Amino acid sequence: MDAFFHFMEVLLECVTALIVLSIALVIIVWRMPNGTPAKEILRAVTKRVGATTAIAVVGLPIQPIPEIDGIYDITGVIILAIYWYGLIGKIRSVKNIEEAKAHISEAAKGLGQLAGHVKNLKR
């Protein structure tokens, strides 16, 4: 029984990390200028991370049910693999990768500024 609770604890921590990652990606994409290739790529990545998070959150209450758990694990992996594979087509549609890199670094600077404002608010 102790191993089961440890497994659920680790699973809950992973889901929490996915939720935090999803929120951070949404903030980064929101702060980027419109019409940039980097924003389109990060928007696609954010959607896929959100879908992965949703499947993980739904999976938490399903884990203790033996038969449904196995079916859910297999179908969830297949659905996510197909969905994440679609990201390759999205990345190929970006015309200028160098321009995308510049916008990603610009968004990272904006996120650093946002973190600085949050720290100042806490004081």
Side-chain angles (χ1 to χ4, degrees):
M1 194 65 165
D2 221 17
F4 175 75
F5 285 123
H6 179 68
F7 171 74
M8 292 304 286
E9 178 184 352
V10 169
L11 190 62
L12 188 60
E13 289 171 357
C14 291
V15 169
T16 304
L18 274 172
I19 291 170
V20 170
L21 178 64
S22 297
I23 292 170
L25 281 171
V26 166
I27 291 171
I28 290 171
V29 170
W30 175 62
R31 303 266 307 165
M32 292 181 78
N34 289 330
T36 61
K39 185 170 186 170
E40 295 303 317
I41 291 173
L42 283 177
R43 184 180 290 155
V45 169
T46 303
K47 287 179 184 179
R48 281 150 179 84
V49 169
T52 304
T53 304
I55 286 182
V57 167
V58 170
L60 280 175
I62 293 178
Q63 290 298 326
I65 307 169
E67 287 81 22
I68 296 176
D69 173 43
I71 295 169
Y72 178 79
D73 288 342
I74 293 170
T75 56
V77 168
I78 291 170
I79 290 169
L80 283 177
I82 292 169
Y83 194 51
W84 276 93
Y85 183 73
L87 182 64
I88 295 170
K90 188 69 171 176
I91 291 173
R92 285 184 181 165
S93 70
V94 172
K95 303 289 187 249
N96 189 350
I97 295 296
E98 292 303 318
E99 183 181 332
K101 288 179 185 178
H103 290 295
I104 289 173
S105 64
E106 182 181 319
K109 289 177 188 175
L111 186 62
Q113 291 172 352
L114 180 65
H117 292 304
V118 170
K119 286 180 183 177
N120 290 335
L121 290 175
K122 288 183 178 181
R123 293 181 191 173

